[in-house]
Amino acid sequence: MNKHSKIYVAGHRGLVGSAIMRKLQQEGYTNIITRTHKELDLTNQAQTQEFFEKEKPEYVFLAAAKVGGIHANDTYPADFAYINIMIESNVIKASYDYGVKKLLFLGSSCIYPKLCPQPIKEEYLLTGPLEKTNEAYAIAKIAGLKMCQYFNSQYGTNYITVMPTNLYGPNDNFDLETSHVLAALLRKFHEAKIDKKQYVEVWGTGTPRREFLHVDDLADAVVYLMNNYNENEPLNIGTGKDITIKELAELIKEIVGYEGEIKFDTTKPDGTPRKLLDVSRLHATGWKHKIELREGIQSTYEWFKENWK
Ligand code: GFB
């Protein structure tokens, strides 16, 4: 990309898309195009085609998706499958039809088999059954990733695919029903502190392990990869380090300054026991994360206190 390239960030108001916007603007890219959900429904093929025909973007970051935490994934599988498959199909095909030079597709670490060897290498994709709580989302993301590869092999396009680990940061979803764990716990501990509650409820047993990457690091990585990575093979994006949900809860409790207890609600699902990404191929491209978990949670908590209503 050069600083005047026409770049379309699909999903620019979400956690990932808004971080990519911040990064591109910081780096001096001047020709970024966006549409709100109201202006353009990416599940609608005609609208998507019309938008690409009119704007003819050169580069596309495909960060528009229906996402959510374990409960949302488990409760709305039809929506997660349908919406994501429609968005991917429409954006990938329109990108091809209107000559996009390069597209970056965001997968997710949950698309790997549930009981993969750890850390998870890119080649473990499609080697075993998926985690049930997010099977629909995983199937949709696998379809999008594979479609990018099929377009590359059949039409010679340059569509790259990345697999980010669990993300967090500004503009995350803090709704307790549909959010991911880190955002949910920040809010729960914050509200428990204000309301002087005796305990905070954490879902599951606390034993699952998760890897967390600050979304500003993810944005830094995808802009770097758009400029430097041209392989057909997907690339994991993570820190290479994980912690248990219990350790995460204790860390957030400390950062928020809450003094009550933590209780585990074991009627709620744990999900996959562990999903730690192998980031050796990512490191070999010359990129490494910069924001460590404690400082990332601290700054996200500051953002939450100032911005979350
Ligand atoms: O972040 P999370 O919802 O998603 O949950 P996954 C991670 C772990 O945190 C699970 C536990 O073991 C949860 O039971 N947890 C504890 C909580 N307290 C809470 C809470 O208050 N809220 C939430 N949400 N979890 C998602 C996938 O899996 O990961 C998506 O469903 C996506 O498809 C995303 O890939 C990155 O890590 O289990």
Side-chain angles (χ1 to χ4, degrees), residues 251-296:
L251 179 59
I252 294 178
K253 176 182 160 177
E254 185 202 319
I255 289 170
V256 168
Y258 171 67
E259 287 177 351
E261 281 172 54
I262 296 174
K263 280 193 184 170
F264 291 96
D265 175 0
T266 52
T267 65
K268 295 284 197 308
D270 269 345
T272 203
R274 194 176 187 196
K275 45 178 174 180
L276 174 65
L277 294 177
D278 183 313
V279 286
S280 39
R281 289 191 54 234
L282 175 69
H283 288 177
T285 70
W287 189 89
K288 192 176 179 296
H289 77 283
K290 296 177 191 73
I291 306 170
E292 294 303 338
L293 188 57
R294 176 182 287 271
E295 69 172 288

Side-chain angles (χ1 to χ4, degrees), residues 236-254:
N236 288 340
I237 306 184
T239 62
K241 295 177 237 177
D242 65 356
I243 63 168
T244 65
I245 297 301
K246 180 167 186 270
E247 287 163 343
L248 176 75
E250 282 161 356
L251 179 59
I252 294 178
K253 176 182 160 177
E254 185 202 319

Side-chain angles (χ1 to χ4, degrees), residues 13-30:
R13 283 179 160 176
L15 172 69
V16 171
S18 62
I20 296 175
M21 292 292 291
R22 288 195 296 277
K23 184 72 200 164
L24 290 171
Q25 283 159 352
Q26 231 175 50
E27 294 207 349
Y29 291 93
T30 54

Side-chain angles (χ1 to χ4, degrees), residues 70 73 108 110 137 166 179-181 188 203 210 269-270 275:
I70 192 164
N73 268 268
S108 165
C110 72
Y137 179 73
N166 289 39
S179 62
H180 291 99
V181 61
K188 284 186 188 176
W203 295 354
R210 292 290 183 273
D270 269 345
K275 45 178 174 180

Side-chain angles (χ1 to χ4, degrees), residues 119-158:
I120 307 171
K121 291 183 193 295
E122 287 86 350
E123 64 254 35
Y124 299 162
L125 187 66
L126 291 171
T127 56
L130 298 163
E131 157 60 30
K132 279 289 168 219
T133 54
N134 62 37
E135 187 188 81
Y137 179 73
I139 295 270
K141 285 288 176 183
I142 292 170
L145 183 151
K146 282 286 169 189
M147 194 158 22
C148 287
Q149 295 182 329
Y150 300 144
F151 271 76
N152 291 342
S153 67
Q154 187 178 339
Y155 294 119
T157 49
N158 187 5

